[in-house]
């Protein structure tokens, strides 16, 4: 009986020790997991401010959307009229007004340096390119929808309209009065998606935005070279780098 009692007591102690070791290992593992998973929340009270300011740099890729006229087949000597995509440059600043947890009102006034082309290809193998080099001042009004912030990041979407005014225009008028001419103002509809990353002292937000012009940029009565064109509308895809 005494030997049996000692054996039972030894087994009980051994079980208690094993359970204690397992509990200790689980506690250590949980503590390590919590330590690894912790991330400092930068600019924790960022959304408490009603208005934020920032700067932006952007690379637009732009062209004209061309609609051919009825004279393209019957009267125009060109057999292909197209507008190749050209890279441009844009810089400006950001004004962001807080509305509620998910919505902001946003504007990004900027200056853009564009060079848009219209290329005419003729049956004899020659080409003619009409260039439109100009500086634009663009003022969008956007509604921003933002997701719930996950520690230091969140996604967002924007949509709205942009008014553009052309300044300091440079035209390649190789054909004199017969050169292609376009209007000096534009109205477009914009939409895009972005990603916000919060750092210790600022917020960085890359954004991809699409812009579709609503204005027919053709100037009636001044475009003898563009008989085959009834409508020119701007189309731009822009990669933004926002700093706030």
């Amino acid at each position: 009986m005494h030997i049996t009692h000692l054996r039972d007591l030894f087994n009980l102690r051994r079980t208690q020790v094993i359970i204690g070791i397992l509990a200790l290992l689980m506690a250590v593992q949980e503590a390590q997991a919590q330590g690894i998973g912790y991330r400092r929340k930068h600019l924790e009270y960022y959304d408490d401010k009603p208005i934020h300011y920032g700067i932006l740099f952007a690379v637009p890729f732009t062209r004209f959307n061309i609609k051919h006229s009825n004279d393209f087949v019957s009267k125009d000597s060109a057999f292909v009229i197209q507008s190749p995509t050209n890279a441009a440059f844009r810089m400006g600043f950001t004004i962001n007004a807080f509305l509620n947890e998910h919505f902001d009102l946003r504007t990004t006034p900027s200056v853009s340096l564009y060079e848009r082309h219209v290329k005419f290809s003729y049956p004899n193998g020659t080409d003619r390119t009409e260039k439109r080099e100009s500086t634009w001042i663009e003022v969008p009004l956007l509604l921003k929808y933002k997701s719930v912030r996950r520690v230091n990041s969140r996604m967002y979407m924007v949509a709205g309209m942009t008014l553009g005014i052309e300044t300091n225009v440079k035209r390649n008028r190789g054909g004199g009065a017969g050169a292609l001419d376009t209007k000096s103002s534009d109205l477009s509809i914009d939409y895009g998606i972005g990603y916000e990353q919060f750092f210790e002292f600022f917020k960085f937000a890359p954004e991809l935005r699409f812009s579709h012009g609503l204005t027919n940029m053709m100037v009636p009565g001044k475009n003898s070279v563009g008989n085959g064109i009834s409508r020119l509308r701007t189309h731009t895809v822009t990669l933004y780098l926002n700093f706030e």
Side-chain angles (χ1 to χ4, degrees), residues 35-48:
I36 293 173
Y38 173 77
R39 293 177 60 198
R40 180 182 176 186
K41 191 172 184 179
H42 299 304
L43 302 175
E44 186 172 359
Y45 304 104
Y46 180 88
D47 290 326
D48 291 346

Side-chain angles (χ1 to χ4, degrees), residues 47-231:
D47 290 326
D48 291 346
K49 295 182 179 180
I51 298 180
H52 291 95
Y53 302 94
I55 61 173
L56 66 89
F57 302 94
V59 181
F61 297 90
T62 185
R63 61 180 173 85
F64 285 117
N65 276 337
I66 299 175
K67 182 178 180 181
H68 297 91
S69 68
N70 295 329
D71 293 337
F72 175 63
V73 176
S74 59
K75 297 181 180 180
D76 202 300
S77 57
F79 74 95
V80 175
I81 304 176
Q82 58 185 330
S83 179
T85 300
N86 290 295
F89 176 74
R90 178 179 300 163
M91 65 180 300
F93 58 93
T94 302
I95 304 174
N96 193 94
F98 178 85
L99 297 180
N100 57 42
E101 183 181 359
H102 289 292
F103 288 96
D104 291 346
L105 194 62
R106 186 177 182 88
T107 183
T108 55
S110 57
V111 176
S112 302
L113 306 177
Y114 289 130
E115 182 177 309
R116 295 186 175 106
H117 297 175
V118 178
K119 183 179 179 180
F120 300 84
S121 298
Y122 298 95
N124 60 5
T126 61
D127 295 329
R128 174 176 178 173
T129 299
E130 293 288 332
K131 296 182 180 180
R132 185 72 169 183
E133 301 175 60
S134 57
T135 302
W136 284 74
I137 297 175
E138 296 174 310
V139 182
L141 182 61
L142 305 167
L143 183 65
K144 173 183 175 183
Y145 172 78
K146 54 192 178 183
S147 67
V148 175
R149 178 173 170 174
R150 304 294 183 185
V151 188
N152 289 318
S153 62
R154 67 183 171 200
M155 301 292 295
Y156 69 90
M157 295 184 294
V158 293
M161 303 191 75
T162 296
L163 174 65
I165 304 295
E166 185 182 30
T167 63
N168 191 31
V169 62
K170 296 180 181 180
R171 302 185 181 108
N172 180 8
R173 292 192 175 277
L180 189 69
D181 199 6
T182 57
K183 296 179 180 178
S184 58
S185 63
D186 191 18
L187 183 66
S188 63
I189 183 170
D190 294 11
Y191 56 90
I193 187 171
Y195 172 80
E196 295 181 336
Q197 181 66 42
F198 292 84
F199 294 95
E200 186 173 0
F201 299 109
F202 67 95
K203 181 184 71 175
F204 172 62
E207 176 186 326
L208 187 64
R209 192 185 304 176
F210 301 86
S211 177
H212 302 277
L214 303 177
T215 304
N216 183 6
M217 301 298 290
M218 287 286 291
V219 177
K222 292 187 178 181
N223 295 298
S224 59
V225 70
N227 290 330
I229 301 173
S230 66
R231 185 177 299 165

Side-chain angles (χ1 to χ4, degrees), residues 23-39:
L24 180 61
L25 290 176
M26 292 176 64
V28 171
Q29 185 177 8
E30 182 178 359
Q32 289 178 344
Q34 290 178 353
I36 293 173
Y38 173 77
R39 293 177 60 198

